[in-house]
Amino acid sequence: MRVRTESMKGWMKAWMERARRSARSILGAPGPRRATRSRGHAALLALTLAAMHTASLAAPPPDKRIAITVDDLPYASATPMSMAEAARLNDGLLQALRRHEAPAIGFVNEDRLLVPGQIDRGVAILEAWLDAGMTLGNHNFGHVGLWTSSVDQVQAAVLKGEVITRWLTTRRGLPLRYYRPPFTQTGRTEADRETFERFLQTHGYTLAPFTVEHDDYLFACVYDHLDGTDAASDRRTVEDDYDAHLRRSIGVFESMSDQLFGRQIPQILLIHANRLNADTLDRSLRTLEALGYRFITLDEALQDEAYQRPVAASGRFGPSWLARWARREGVKLTVYGQPDPEGPVVALHRRHCGS
């Protein structure tokens, strides 16, 4: 510590001397009558510059926080997947989360657990999440959205989709608190939204919002179709494009937060339990750390006053809550969501996924 202190003193002395020289060059060479006064001005300017520089060094960076939410447990895939592969997929997700000490919540579609002869394996996946200290939430039975289905149908899907998950959480004394709506749809109309949210409250649920997404379903569809060693190069291309798209998307959502709130609110990232994220979540979390983020729980994120602001019914499309707040409050933003994917993945998506 003494060595560091001495080196800092030496650095500061040298820096102030450079500042004095700069000040003399700015003020000009003093004549005989002005020498004393000019030296005083130079010293004052040097001290001012030094104080400003020290203050800039001491200024803390923005407190950027993000909660990780994972939809479609036990798995989402554009191609067939066995429950054994789903178990490996979730193990990859959980390893990355533990490595970065990132708490996460996984939202469950219980219909995907009901594979004949494989139910115990599916339940074991959910137990692995709880064993890892993660949280589970309800994503309803059948991934039923509030655009093509009635409020009554979605309410029934919520109750049908909590049976196994509630049994597991209750055994451990844990709450089943959060519901993530499929397609992040919150209703066709305000009346639908209000009716459904009253239903959720009655059953002890809080609707889980999100603020950050980066089209992982699009990248994942391509990735699911790239099987075998001959596709290894294309898989690396998708992974690189995916990481670049995350960086661009984060920048957009940070801009939206600044425009709406004048600060960085705690963000909530939405991704899915797919092969792509199983293979790249470690990299994605490293990227978020490099961008200055620390990981928090969904509970912690929702304590921020921003999430107390109301939002309107989503209609068919369910954008980031940042866009929903702006729309409801009539705030014009320069951006309204993540940019369109670009690079080779776009052509790969047309080839493998049809659009």
Side-chain angles (χ1 to χ4, degrees):
M1 191 68 179
R2 177 178 176 78
V3 172
R4 178 175 175 83
T5 301
E6 292 300 325
S7 64
M8 284 295 293
K9 287 180 179 178
W11 175 87
M12 199 63 179
K13 182 178 180 181
W15 192 93
M16 289 186 68
E17 180 56 35
R18 288 197 299 272
R20 289 191 187 96
R21 288 198 296 269
S22 297
R24 283 196 296 270
S25 68
I26 294 170
L27 293 172
R33 297 179 181 179
R34 295 168 48 219
T36 302
R37 185 173 60 186
S38 295
R39 282 195 296 271
H41 286 168
L44 178 61
L45 179 58
L47 288 171
T48 301
L49 291 171
M52 292 171 63
H53 183 74
T54 302
S56 70
L57 289 176
D63 183 21
K64 298 201 294 188
R65 296 158 288 162
I66 193 163
I68 311 299
T69 69
V70 185
D71 284 9
D72 294 354
L73 265 63
Y75 67 88
S77 178
T79 59
M81 181 181 293
S82 69
M83 200 59 75
E85 185 182 0
R88 292 192 295 272
L89 179 158
N90 281 272
D91 185 57
L93 294 172
L94 292 171
Q95 284 187 35
L97 292 167
R98 286 193 297 260
R99 188 175 299 120
H100 292 267
E101 298 182 353
I105 180 169
F107 290 97
V108 182
N109 294 122
E110 288 198 3
D111 56 294
R112 298 179 188 178
L113 299 173
L114 304 184
V115 179
Q118 299 293 312
I119 294 176
D120 286 348
R121 274 191 167 181
V123 172
I125 290 172
L126 304 188
E127 290 191 296
W129 274 73
L130 297 175
D131 289 343
M134 307 301 167
T135 306
L136 295 177
N138 189 339
H139 203 32
N140 91 28
F141 192 98
H143 207 269
V144 180
L146 271 169
W147 178 255
T148 59
S149 302
S150 69
V151 172
D152 287 343
Q153 288 172 320
V154 178
Q155 289 176 350
V158 172
L159 298 178
K160 190 175 181 181
E162 71 173 16
V163 177
I164 296 172
T165 310
R166 188 172 294 282
W167 174 65
L168 291 173
T169 55
T170 300
R171 287 172 60 197
R172 296 173 183 244
L174 301 172
L176 181 59
R177 181 178 299 135
Y178 291 108
Y179 174 76
R180 167 66 57 71
F183 312 107
T184 63
Q185 294 168 347
T186 57
R188 279 178 169 268
T189 66
E190 279 299 292
D192 283 354
R193 182 190 63 80
E194 292 171 0
T195 298
F196 187 69
E197 289 189 4
R198 283 196 300 270
F199 162 83
L200 290 179
Q201 292 168 4
T202 298
H203 291 273
Y205 284 110
T206 296
L207 193 144
F210 79 97
T211 57
V212 176
E213 62 175 331
H214 58 306
D215 304 292
D216 74 329
Y217 66 92
L218 183 148
F219 289 85
C221 179
V222 177
Y223 204 77
D224 286 341
H225 285 89
L226 297 176
D227 193 18
T229 56
D230 57 331
S233 177
D234 282 345
R235 284 197 298 274
R236 286 193 296 272
T237 295
V238 173
E239 291 170 3
D240 290 343
D241 281 1
Y242 187 51
D243 184 69
H245 191 57
L246 172 62
R247 293 172 182 272
R248 290 191 297 269
S249 298
I250 286 289
V252 167
F253 291 115
E254 288 181 350
S255 174
M256 293 171 71
S257 178
D258 278 336
Q259 291 177 63
L260 273 170
F261 298 99
R263 63 185 176 92
Q264 286 304 303
I265 68 167
Q267 302 278 11
I268 300 172
L269 174 69
L270 188 160
I271 60 174
H272 296 82
N274 53 44
R275 293 182 182 92
L276 174 63
N277 285 318
D279 289 348
T280 62
L281 185 56
D282 180 71
R283 180 176 179 178
S284 295
L285 296 177
R286 280 190 280 112
T287 291
L288 291 170
E289 289 169 334
L291 293 172
Y293 282 91
R294 61 185 178 90
F295 304 115
I296 60 174
T297 65
L298 181 59
D299 284 347
E300 291 174 290
L302 294 184
Q303 289 173 12
D304 190 278
E305 62 184 4
Y307 291 98
Q308 308 310 310
R309 294 192 181 192
V311 293
S314 65
R316 181 176 182 179
F317 302 105
S320 164
W321 256 245
L322 291 163
R324 300 184 201 210
W325 288 320
R327 182 176 64 185
R328 181 180 177 89
E329 297 170 17
V331 178
K332 291 186 177 180
L333 305 178
T334 59
V335 286
Y336 285 90
Q338 73 273 24
D340 291 335
E342 57 186 47
V345 74
V346 177
L348 288 169
H349 189 269
R350 283 196 298 267
R351 184 193 313 166
H352 294 286
C353 303
S355 63

